[in-house]
Amino acid sequence: MVNSAESKASGRIDGAQASSSRVTPQGHYRVLLTKEQLVFSSAHFITFAGDICECLHGHNYGLRAEVSGALDENRYVIDFIAFRDTLAEIVKQLDHHMLVALHHPMILVEERGDEVELRFRQKRWVLPKEDCKLLPIVNTTAEEIAAWIAQEVRSKLYSKIGDRLEWLEIGVDENNGQWGYCRLPWTAA
């Protein structure tokens, strides 16, 4: 084994010196996930212009997720596998469900046993409860779905990652190029 004095004299660098001499540039680091399995097919309707309610319809939604932060002891921003698996778990909750906004001021949502009844003025829908995903949002827009997903990701991963990340951004594509985004600070206020 070569000691430090010998290595300096000979010009050789041992492993400890090599790793300390390779400094990662101070920079801005991000990780972006856009995986084919991060898709979900769901039904929904939205309201707009105050009192217009769309007809019930569906989309094959796509998802992308990005985080920004410092490198950890493993020299990455986030573990790709943990990030991907958390997103896949959330996507599975949405896939093949009717997305229902619980906080819309004009949509009445009532759970009755194994059914969910929705009312908007004269319109009425009665759906099997197991086919619905009740979301704590105002409207099932791509932007609000993205915000809900971002909050879920943050709540599921924060205990594993801590406050090392700066922000999390989720994009939801509802129609091959129509994206809604939400960027949240990683640490909740």
Side-chain angles (χ1 to χ4, degrees), residues 153-172:
V153 168
R154 187 172 60 188
S155 72
K156 290 177 184 302
L157 288 178
Y158 189 86
S159 65
K160 297 173 187 171
I161 295 171
D163 60 3
R164 208 173 33 75
L165 298 179
E166 297 167 13
W167 51 260
L168 163 68
E169 183 175 273
I170 299 293
V172 172

Side-chain angles (χ1 to χ4, degrees), residues 19-180:
S19 65
S20 67
S21 67
R22 284 181 289 215
V23 175
T24 303
Q26 293 300 317
H28 186 79
Y29 297 94
R30 299 180 340 200
V31 167
L32 171 65
L33 276 180
T34 57
K35 305 288 280 180
E36 287 182 23
Q37 69 262 40
L38 296 179
V39 296
F40 56 100
S41 299
S42 299
H44 81 135
F45 62 85
I46 63 169
T47 63
F48 56 96
D51 63 347
I52 298 171
C53 183
E54 289 183 325
C55 291
L56 179 63
H57 64 281
H59 297 284
N60 293 317
Y61 292 91
L63 181 70
R64 60 181 279 152
E66 187 171 4
V67 293
S68 175
L71 299 180
D72 70 4
E73 67 279 359
N74 298 307
R75 312 310 294 157
Y76 51 62
V77 175
I78 193 170
D79 177 356
F80 278 114
I81 307 287
F83 196 25
R84 179 203 65 201
D85 290 352
T86 300
L87 290 163
E89 176 187 327
I90 294 165
V91 163
K92 186 177 179 181
Q93 294 176 43
L94 302 173
D95 195 31
H96 291 95
H97 284 85
M98 170 68 181
L99 306 181
V100 177
L102 290 174
H103 299 310
H104 193 287
M106 296 178 70
I107 298 172
L108 177 64
V109 179
E110 288 188 49
E111 295 180 59
R112 292 190 187 132
D114 59 355
E115 293 180 336
V116 174
E117 180 180 347
L118 310 172
R119 288 183 184 268
F120 180 88
R121 298 204 171 173
Q122 303 307 315
K123 290 186 174 190
R124 179 176 170 264
W125 303 266
V126 178
L127 303 160
K129 187 174 179 178
E130 68 183 1
D131 291 347
C132 296
K133 180 63 179 175
L134 306 178
L135 298 171
I137 60 179
V138 175
N139 215 349
T140 55
T141 61
E143 297 88 342
E144 287 230 55
I145 295 167
W148 179 79
I149 292 170
Q151 291 166 358
E152 289 293 299
V153 168
R154 187 172 60 188
S155 72
K156 290 177 184 302
L157 288 178
Y158 189 86
S159 65
K160 297 173 187 171
I161 295 171
D163 60 3
R164 208 173 33 75
L165 298 179
E166 297 167 13
W167 51 260
L168 163 68
E169 183 175 273
I170 299 293
V172 172
D173 179 12
E174 73 169 22
N175 192 16
N176 296 319
Q178 292 180 196
W179 290 87

